[in-house]
Amino acid sequence: MSTAAASYRKQDGTVSVSADGKAVSWTSSSGAIPPLSIIIADIGNLQQTPATAAKASIKIVVPDSAPQPGSYTLQFTSSAARDDQQTITGLLRKWIEASKTQAAPTAAPTGTNGDGASAAIALAQTVAVAAKGSDDSYDDAKLLSDLELQMSLLNTNPSLRQRFDRALAEKPDTVSLGQFSNQFWTTRVHMLRSHVTEKTQATGTYNVLSVIKSKTVNGALTLSLTKEQIELLFRQHPIVQKAYNENVPQLNETDFWERFFHSRLMKKLKGERIREQDVLDPKLDKYLQYDEAIENSDQFIDSLPLFINIEGNEQNHSQKQGNRPDFTMTPSNYDKAPILRVLNRMSEKMLKDVPYSDGDRHAPVGVDEQTYKELQLRDLQRADDDNRVVLRVQDQSRFFSAGQSVQSSTSAATYTKRTPSQALAILHRDFEAISANQSKAAGVDLQTTLGINDDSSSDEENATSKIRKVGGKSSRSAATVQIVSAIKKRHLHDDDYSSSKAMPTSEQAKKLAISEAALDNLTITHNTTIEFLHYFWAVFHSGDSDRANEVAKLIETLDKSLDRIKAVADVAEADRSIQLDRYRKEVESYNQRSGKKRKFDPQNIKGGARAVNQVVEPLLRAINAARNQYAEALQEQMSQVSVGKGL
Amino acid sequence: MNTIDGSDRHVQTDSAPPPSLLAIVLDTNPHAWAHLSSSLSLSAALANILVFINAHLASGNANEVAVIASHSHKATFLYPTPTAPQPKARNGANGDVAMNGTDDSKGHHIAENPNKYRAFALVESAILKNFAKLLDETNESHLAATPTTLIGGAISLALTYISKSTMLHAPTAASAESMSLAALADSENAHVDRIPLTSRILIVSVSGDLANQYIPVMNSIFAAQRKKIPIDILKLAGDTVLLQQASDATGGVYMKPDRPEGLLQYLMMAFLPDATARASLVIPSAGGVDFRAACFCHRKVVDVGFVCSVCLSIFCSSNLPDNLCLTCGSYLSLRSALINPPALIPRKKKKKRKVGTDSATPGASTPAGSSTPMHP
Ligand SMILES: [Zn+2]
Ligand SMILES: [Zn+2]
């Protein structure tokens, strides 16, 4: 048992580490504060001030998952404070390590025997340590072999699960489960990687006061406060805990909270401005004058890793240059916008509970040599070496200079009918027509040049000349038809940026005039087929003749996809013919009843196989491309083999 | 897209849409127009475009227009008339120089037609005059040198003009002063006094063979995309590859008329609405976009190509001299998976050959789909 003189919350006392290494405790010498006792196995984070700091203190953080969460700062007070600090932290570190190595192997089997919580923490810690210890856990091969991770990802992602299950069910029998899942995940390593990252992260604490809101139930204002919220509130705002401790036996618990949430204290803690008309509360208002400094001493600002020293700005004295610092940066203005400070303090409080991941948590705080060097803005220094990658781009036009003549391309070939001088002459002659008009004081007579004459009917136009007139009625209406059809097409596809991306399938199916089930079926077939196409190309290009059978089987699977699409198309066509029959009867009965002749136009019923084939057209193209390449390559190799045998 | 909420709040009385700048890039490739002359002559097309410009100018008081000719040997402004880069006299003593400059550009012989709105007449005469000048400058050697047009340069000119105009419309950066304490507390409502200029580019294209300008055009497309300038394409003739991507990437309208004779109808129906109006319209689109790129070595449009991992140059084959990238000279190596010939016949068990090393990880180099060019 080793002990040292240390103060906790400005109260002198003694800190001691038990001989068995199970607990660290602190007792007040005056008895003003109840003694502390922390189970060493629960400790999540241990920090100490650097050897250069004026004060020698340590901070012990117990994570939220432990039975007694919180953070405790102890300052060593004896004349040999620095030595005490070293001894105590050394001991603590030793016992923390010991408790970890003990807990880790026993964690899984003895998860239920009472000590579950601490075992779980230890496990979580070892996971965290492993994650930051090396980047191996993100290694492709490791990710691909981690079945548990893959299962967990599938469980969190239903659509991926569906895709996986479908493709698994339809895979050719010769492809083993291992081969299949390996193939499936190689194209999705990034998803696995992000899942690992996701799993190693947990949500931190939050600003409780902003979450607690009163609700109106049956006309009465009620507050709902959970036990966890109260605990967090006490931790974030010790002053509330103090008020609670000193008032609750006298006051009813519910009364206390009700008073608190209407008090000025609450407003102050939230950073709201306190106004004259706010209710006075003799019991709680005295806490308004709480000393922020005490709270600050608990914050252990020293231990936050300094990434960039903002205080350095003070040396850059801006007042003399003419610009006042922003009002939020001058201390006298704190009361004008209390919210700014409250939010900052809140953030600090939340951050201090988070162990930083990019460094050893037990290492002495402060910036080490290497980090310091890294932080220097080297590229701004004059003598710095230029470490850019030099890219020597050659003039690209030289690639094109060859063959860049009139004869070279498709459209250029059509130009060769005229010599350049002829072409130029045509243009000159044509342009003279318009500029001749202009020289007459009136400018261009656009009306005649346009050639629009609304009196002429399109029939007349055709009769007089076979040439389509520029601006003629028929040209204009043809243009209108084209544009309107383009607009309709766009409307159907709806790939407009402004429209929401996720259109329900029912609506999509309606637009295509096929049943929802058919569309669902197509979507699934599409997904699995893409999966097998990936697989096919991977094996096809592997150049490994051991896998030749695999390729052949995959081609069969692709054939099956074609069959499946055809089946959907057949069903859709059958649906359509039923509708067509109904429509024909309708027309017939209408014609009989009214005696009029309504025309039966089968085009009126959309959908059917045509709609289906239109949707899957790109997929069909992709499948056929694979099949053709396969057939071609196969034939080539067959002929080579037979030649080889012939010799 | 252009409704910055600050303007709603500040300029409440003025509910008119923001001024709109239309930059027209007119492809004046003489080869192509001579070829088209039987169906749509250049003069008729010009007249149609003039009417379209008038419609654009008439639809907003502050609307502006710029017309750029993309010719076979150069790209030049048709409107506004380019002023020669003359050093201007610093002090007002020599006022003559400045006066002469303006006189020239406005043209002293503008036809005073009582039946024509003067603003229209100004644009019309400038365009015709400058085009006549351009045509006179053109000689046979220019035409013999190339079958196509300098579209890349013309788009760059349009973009720079738009950029300059946008700056002239920009706020004077004085509003920061008025930031009050209250405004700081809710910084969401921070506002800028700005009348935004909505700009768009319309390319009236008649030439094909644009693939050799793949890089400059692509760069312009990305610049336009960043500045949120839609590029509209009216493709009267020629192959489509590159420009279709331009309109798709920037959210512009693409039209390839079946009947070029109906030019005015196309212009009026499909291209007159500006970005503000388009927010509430379904704009016509051509449907499938050809996203294929042109290779840098033969300017062929390729389905599957190879991309330099350093400079992103595209090549149609992996057989580069010395395996060096033609553009940047980096050494490139292909994964064995891509050069291995597919082996499709199961081999006899006894003649064991060395198995490809990367067969253990299938799909490590998946050629995803058929249209993604790649080069690991
Ligand atoms: Zn090539
Ligand atoms: Zn390169």
Side-chain angles (χ1 to χ4, degrees):
Chain A
M1 176 123 171
S2 76
T3 54
S7 70
Y8 173 64
R9 297 206 176 172
K10 302 243 157 127
Q11 296 290 324
D12 287 332
T14 325
V15 64
S16 57
V17 180
S18 68
D20 60 354
K22 287 266 186 279
V24 55
S25 53
W26 177 86
T27 41
S28 163
S29 48
S30 64
I33 315 185
L36 267 180
S37 176
I38 305 161
I39 298 164
I40 289 183
D42 286 353
I43 295 175
N45 194 358
L46 176 66
Q47 294 169 339
Q48 61 174 334
T49 46
T52 51
K55 291 178 192 169
S57 49
I58 60 171
K59 184 162 99 162
I60 300 169
V61 180
V62 180
D64 284 353
S65 41
Q68 296 172 276
S71 77
Y72 311 92
T73 305
L74 300 166
Q75 189 184 336
F76 295 95
T77 46
S78 76
S79 53
R82 191 61 61 188
D83 295 337
D84 283 348
Q85 185 200 25
Q86 294 303 328
T87 333
I88 296 290
T89 39
L91 259 177
L92 279 176
R93 241 180 245 169
K94 192 182 106 198
W95 289 120
I96 290 170
E97 292 299 327
S99 74
K100 256 190 224 163
T101 45
Q102 254 177 16
T106 55
T110 62
T112 46
N113 65 0
D115 204 31
S118 65
I121 298 159
L123 196 64
Q125 279 169 345
T126 44
V127 167
V129 166
K132 73 159 196 270
S134 64
D135 286 340
D136 282 354
S137 55
Y138 297 121
D139 186 60
D140 281 11
K142 195 154 184 185
L143 290 171
L144 286 175
S145 59
D146 191 345
L147 288 178
E148 217 168 288
L149 177 74
Q150 291 163 7
M151 283 315 290
S152 131
L153 175 56
L154 286 180
N155 287 335
T156 53
N157 189 338
S159 67
L160 191 67
R161 157 128 252 163
Q162 194 192 20
R163 195 176 261 242
F164 182 82
D165 289 348
R166 281 296 293 234
L168 186 65
E170 286 166 18
K171 76 170 172 60
D173 294 335
T174 47
V175 175
S176 76
L177 176 63
Q179 280 174 317
F180 168 76
S181 78
N182 193 28
Q183 165 61 29
F184 185 84
W185 291 114
T186 38
T187 52
R188 292 180 174 81
V189 177
H190 60 286
M191 294 176 87
L192 289 174
R193 195 168 291 131
S194 68
H195 191 63
V196 171
T197 321
E198 205 180 325
K199 275 177 69 174
T200 49
Q201 290 180 347
T203 5
T205 54
Y206 54 96
N207 187 354
V208 218
L209 278 181
S210 69
V211 174
I212 302 168
K213 297 227 162 66
S214 50
K215 270 181 297 192
T216 319
V217 179
N218 300 332
L221 214 58
T222 57
L223 257 177
S224 66
L225 256 179
T226 65
K227 204 165 148 275
E228 289 75 32
Q229 281 174 330
I230 293 177
E231 268 174 33
L232 198 54
L233 182 60
F234 282 165
R235 211 134 39 79
Q236 285 178 354
H237 302 285
I239 189 70
V240 181
Q241 184 167 25
K242 187 163 178 243
Y244 180 84
N245 285 341
E246 289 173 11
N247 287 296
V248 163
Q250 300 91 314
L251 268 172
N252 182 330
E253 181 150 351
T254 31
D255 278 350
F256 172 80
W257 289 117
E258 207 179 303
R259 283 174 90 136
F260 171 69
F261 280 98
H262 291 102
S263 68
R264 294 180 168 206
L265 179 62
M266 161 87 164
K267 285 198 129 186
K268 182 168 181 187
L269 291 174
K270 272 183 118 172
E272 286 169 21
R273 215 166 297 181
I274 294 166
R275 289 168 306 181
E276 287 296 316
Q277 65 265 42
D278 287 334
V279 269
L280 288 167
D281 187 320
K283 282 223 162 82
L284 292 176
D285 282 352
K286 61 182 177 203
Y287 298 105
L288 276 175
Q289 307 306 324
Y290 70 91
D291 191 359
E292 277 181 15
I294 292 182
E295 251 182 64
N296 281 341
S297 74
D298 201 34
Q299 292 215 1
F300 216 87
I301 299 287
D302 290 346
S303 72
L304 286 179
L306 270 184
F307 179 65
I308 287 173
N309 186 359
I310 296 181
E311 280 170 19
N313 285 346
E314 278 175 17
Q315 295 166 17
N316 190 0
H317 208 276
S318 63
Q319 278 91 329
K320 287 178 183 154
Q321 314 295 323
N323 281 337
R324 213 150 43 92
D326 187 80
F327 85 100
T328 53
M329 302 299 279
T330 47
S332 62
N333 273 326
Y334 278 157
D335 290 337
K336 283 190 191 160
I339 182 77
L340 293 173
R341 198 142 75 113
V342 167
L343 286 180
N344 276 341
R345 284 163 51 81
M346 220 36 242
S347 313
E348 263 176 36
K349 281 183 187 172
M350 284 191 262
L351 262 183
K352 75 172 178 173
D353 284 341
V354 182
Y356 39 96
S357 58
D358 52 347
D360 186 352
R361 63 183 67 172
H362 303 310
V365 286
V367 176
D368 59 51
E369 185 77 11
Q370 201 188 347
T371 319
Y372 178 76
K373 274 189 179 159
E374 239 170 67
L375 282 177
Q376 282 191 315
L377 302 174
R378 267 160 305 176
D379 47 353
L380 292 182
Q381 282 164 14
R382 251 162 234 252
D384 189 46
D385 288 337
D386 193 354
N387 61 354
R388 284 174 293 186
V389 177
V390 180
L391 193 58
R392 286 188 192 82
V393 176
Q394 286 155 335
D395 181 17
Q396 279 144 354
S397 63
R398 77 193 163 89
F399 304 138
F400 307 126
S401 56
Q404 164 75 329
S405 70
V406 180
Q407 282 80 16
S408 67
S409 76
T410 46
S411 64
T414 58
Y415 301 154
T416 52
K417 279 186 277 177
R418 288 176 198 82
T419 63
S421 58
Q422 279 171 331
L424 213 50
I426 291 176
L427 236 57
H428 274 290
R429 213 176 318 126
D430 175 38
F431 189 67
E432 262 159 33
I434 195 168
S435 51
N437 272 334
Q438 198 209 2
S439 54
K440 286 185 249 154
V444 182
D445 184 355
L446 292 171
Q447 182 93 38
T448 54
T449 328
L450 284 179
I452 295 174
N453 182 0
D454 279 325
D455 298 337
S456 79
S457 77
S458 55
D459 291 339
E460 215 175 305
E461 193 182 299
N462 282 346
T464 48
S465 66
K466 285 274 178 243
I467 306 164
R468 290 161 172 179
K469 232 178 94 209
V470 173
K473 208 171 209 166
S474 74
S475 310
R476 277 182 289 138
S477 52
T480 311
V481 169
Q482 193 190 352
I483 295 168
V484 170
S485 78
I487 289 174
K488 279 187 180 149
K489 202 168 170 189
R490 176 60 160 263
H491 192 54
L492 174 70
H493 285 271
D494 226 11
D495 47 9
D496 192 16
Y497 294 113
S498 58
S499 73
S500 63
K501 287 273 175 204
M503 192 173 33
T505 22
S506 57
E507 228 168 275
Q508 241 170 343
K510 212 183 281 170
K511 271 190 179 177
L512 292 162
I514 55 176
S515 73
E516 212 176 315
L519 190 65
D520 275 342
N521 213 331
L522 281 184
T523 318
I524 294 170
T525 310
H526 174 86
N527 287 346
T528 50
T529 309
I530 295 293
E531 204 54 54
F532 287 122
L533 278 171
H534 273 290
Y535 199 166
F536 168 79
W537 286 113
V539 183
F540 183 77
H541 282 299
S542 70
D544 180 358
S545 51
D546 283 342
R547 306 184 77 182
N549 277 327
E550 228 176 299
V551 185
K553 285 292 173 196
L554 282 165
I555 282 290
E556 277 171 31
T557 317
L558 291 179
D559 285 343
K560 263 188 232 154
S561 288
L562 288 179
D563 294 343
R564 238 171 263 133
I565 293 168
K566 190 164 177 306
V568 177
D570 288 345
V571 171
E573 193 57 41
D575 277 358
R576 180 171 180 262
S577 59
I578 292 170
Q579 283 180 20
L580 214 55
D581 271 349
R582 199 184 304 145
Y583 173 60
R584 191 194 325 251
K585 281 187 192 125
E586 238 170 63
V587 173
E588 273 165 15
S589 73
Y590 174 85
N591 286 352
Q592 277 176 359
R593 265 186 291 124
S594 63
K596 281 180 202 153
K597 274 258 172 223
R598 205 157 87 179
K599 243 174 79 186
F600 170 73
D601 182 6
Q603 288 297 317
N604 278 352
I605 305 292
K606 297 209 167 57
R610 229 184 73 194
V612 170
N613 286 329
Q614 198 189 336
V615 175
V616 294
E617 205 254 313
L619 186 64
L620 292 178
R621 240 189 302 154
I623 295 178
N624 286 328
R627 280 160 43 105
N628 290 345
Q629 274 217 30
Y630 175 75
E632 229 171 81
L634 186 65
Q635 203 168 19
E636 197 179 298
Q637 291 182 19
M638 288 294 232
S639 65
Q640 276 171 1
V641 168
S642 59
V643 166
K645 277 181 183 159
L647 282 173
Chain B
M1 187 192 313
N2 286 293
T3 50
I4 297 167
D5 67 353
S7 61
D8 291 354
R9 169 177 151 161
H10 206 70
V11 205
Q12 216 133 40
T13 45
D14 180 18
S15 59
S20 170
L21 167 62
L22 169 67
I24 299 180
V25 173
L26 177 60
D27 176 359
T28 55
N29 180 6
H31 285 296
W33 280 110
H35 186 68
L36 274 175
S37 59
S38 54
S39 56
L40 176 68
S41 67
L42 179 56
S43 61
L46 259 180
N48 282 318
I49 290 169
L50 283 173
V51 173
F52 174 64
I53 289 172
N54 291 350
H56 168 74
L57 293 177
S59 57
N61 248 345
N63 282 4
E64 294 169 30
V65 71
V67 184
I68 293 141
S70 157
H71 208 56
S72 45
H73 68 286
K74 70 181 214 179
T76 180
F77 274 98
L78 295 182
Y79 181 87
T81 305
T83 42
Q86 269 174 339
K88 273 192 185 150
R90 283 285 152 136
N91 41 12
N94 195 356
D96 281 343
V97 180
M99 286 307 291
N100 277 345
T102 48
D103 251 14
D104 257 357
S105 62
K106 291 276 185 264
H108 33 80
H109 57 272
I110 283 182
E112 284 297 337
N113 182 347
N115 292 323
K116 194 169 267 182
Y117 181 45
R118 195 177 141 82
F120 295 173
L122 282 175
V123 176
E124 178 189 303
S125 88
I127 290 176
L128 291 177
K129 202 181 69 179
N130 289 319
F131 184 68
K133 211 170 107 199
L134 178 66
L135 208 55
D136 287 338
E137 281 174 14
T138 317
N139 60 39
E140 286 157 33
S141 64
H142 291 141
L143 264 68
T146 175
T148 184
T149 183
L150 295 173
I151 196 77
I155 301 176
S156 307
L157 273 184
L159 283 171
T160 45
Y161 185 81
I162 287 173
S163 165
K164 209 164 107 185
S165 303
T166 310
M167 257 188 267
L168 289 176
H169 280 259
T172 48
S175 44
E177 288 287 320
S178 61
M179 280 267 212
S180 60
L181 282 182
L184 198 131
D186 53 353
S187 60
E188 297 263 309
N189 287 342
H191 62 278
V192 200
D193 306 25
R194 179 202 287 263
I195 306 162
L197 179 71
T198 61
S199 310
R200 66 188 195 274
I201 297 175
L202 166 63
I203 301 177
V204 181
S205 169
V206 290
S207 309
D209 291 322
L210 301 174
N212 62 342
Q213 294 173 61
Y214 180 79
I215 303 162
V217 173
M218 264 337 224
N219 285 339
S220 302
I221 291 174
F222 294 136
Q225 203 175 24
R226 218 182 123 73
K227 292 280 174 193
K228 294 201 170 72
I229 300 168
I231 299 181
D232 298 338
I233 307 291
L234 181 60
K235 190 82 188 162
L236 292 170
D239 52 39
T240 60
V241 181
L242 199 46
L243 294 179
Q244 200 175 8
Q245 288 183 40
S247 78
D248 184 77
T250 58
V253 180
Y254 180 86
M255 266 279 141
K256 187 174 168 71
D258 299 332
R259 296 274 299 270
E261 303 84 13
L263 177 62
L264 186 63
Q265 190 72 9
Y266 286 107
L267 287 170
M268 290 300 198
M269 263 186 94
F271 298 101
L272 190 58
D274 67 1
T276 319
R278 278 177 200 179
S280 28
L281 292 175
V282 175
I283 59 170
S285 79
V289 181
D290 191 342
F291 281 115
R292 290 175 303 167
C295 75
F296 287 25
C297 36
H298 312 86
R299 69 205 161 97
K300 273 196 306 201
V301 174
V302 289
D303 279 327
V304 178
F306 300 86
V307 181
C308 169
S309 49
V310 177
C311 70
L312 304 183
S313 298
I314 300 160
F315 303 106
C316 58
S317 100
S318 54
N319 294 322
L320 298 169
D322 298 332
N323 278 349
L324 297 181
C325 168
L326 291 179
T327 308
C328 68
S330 309
Y331 177 78
L332 304 173
S333 68
L334 279 170
R335 241 177 235 228
S336 58
L338 278 181
I339 32 178
N340 276 347
L344 303 177
I345 299 166
R347 114 188 104 85
K348 306 281 179 295
K349 280 280 183 274
K350 45 188 176 184
K351 44 172 183 177
K352 263 234 163 6
R353 208 164 25 106
K354 195 174 170 271
V355 175
T357 42
D358 57 355
S359 62
T361 54
S365 57
T366 320
S370 58
S371 59
T372 317
M374 65 167 300
H375 184 324

